[in-house]
C-alpha cells in the first residue's frame, strides 16, 4: 500500500545545487521516518541523510554542511537540498521510509525507484 516516489534529480556542474523530493503515500495516520541513500556504479549503497517523525536529522560525514534534509508532514513529503555539489556526489539517490509505530499496519522498509544526480566538473 505504501508508495515512495523520488524526483528532482538532474545534471549540474560542480558547485551547483539540486533539491530532491520524496513523496510517500499510503501511511495514513502512521508516523514514519525518511532516509536518503545513494549508489554509484561499482559501489555499495550508502546512507546520506535521515529525518525522523520528530524532525531529528542525521547526515553522512561526507555531506555535512552541504546537504540539508527537511520534511512537510502535512504533504507527506521530504526534501534533500544539495548545495556545493561535487562530482563525487554523482549517484542514483533513493528515498526509504519506515515506521517505528508498532500499531501501524505498514511495517517494513519502503523504497522509491531512485532519481539520477549527475555532477560534472
Amino acid at each position: 500500500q505504501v508508495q515512495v516516489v523520488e524526483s528532482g534529480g538532474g545534471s549540474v556542474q560542480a558547485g551547483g545545487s539540486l533539491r530532491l523530493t520524496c513523496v510517500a503515500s499510503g501511511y495514513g495516520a502512521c508516523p514514519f521516518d525518511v532516509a536518503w541513500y545513494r549508489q554509484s556504479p561499482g559501489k555499495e549503497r550508502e546512507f546520506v541523510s535521515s529525518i525522523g517523525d520528530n524532525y531529528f536529522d542525521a547526515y553522512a560525514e561526507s555531506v555535512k554542511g552541504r546537504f540539508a534534509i527537511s520534511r512537510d508532514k502535512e504533504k507527506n513529503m521530504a526534501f534533500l537540498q544539495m548545495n556545493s555539489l561535487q562530482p563525487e556526489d554523482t549517484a542514483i539517490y533513493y528515498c526509504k521510509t519506515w515506521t517505528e509505530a508498532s500499531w501501524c499496519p505498514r511495517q517494513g522498509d519502503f523504497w522509491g525507484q531512485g532519481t539520477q544526480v549527475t555532477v560534472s566538473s
Side-chain angles (χ1 to χ4, degrees), residues 42-59:
K43 298 183 63 177
E44 293 186 344
R45 186 170 299 185
E46 66 176 1
F47 170 82
V48 176
S49 183
S50 65
I51 185 166
D53 183 67
N54 56 8
Y55 295 96
F56 288 176
D57 55 14
Y59 299 89

Side-chain angles (χ1 to χ4, degrees), residues 1-2 26-28 30 98-99 104-108 110:
Q1 291 289 340
V2 174
Y27 273 110
C30 302
W98 72 100
T99 184
C104 177
R106 311 304 181 198
Q107 296 292 311
F110 297 91

Side-chain angles (χ1 to χ4, degrees), residues 62-107:
S62 60
V63 306
K64 284 183 179 178
R66 299 188 299 120
F67 291 8
I69 193 168
S70 60
R71 71 186 299 172
D72 184 333
K73 294 169 71 174
E74 181 69 24
K75 297 181 179 179
N76 294 320
M77 299 174 70
F79 311 93
L80 185 68
Q81 178 66 46
M82 305 184 294
N83 299 324
S84 301
L85 284 163
Q86 305 168 16
E88 307 87 80
D89 296 315
T90 295
I92 300 176
Y93 284 70
Y94 298 91
C95 180
K96 182 186 78 173
T97 67
W98 72 100
T99 184
E100 297 180 71
S102 59
W103 52 265
C104 177
R106 311 304 181 198
Q107 296 292 311

Side-chain angles (χ1 to χ4, degrees), residues 3-7 21-25 32 75-78 95 97:
Q3 292 184 269
V4 179
V5 180
E6 307 98 330
S7 63
T21 298
C22 174
V23 181
S25 61
F32 63 93
K75 297 181 179 179
N76 294 320
M77 299 174 70
C95 180
T97 67

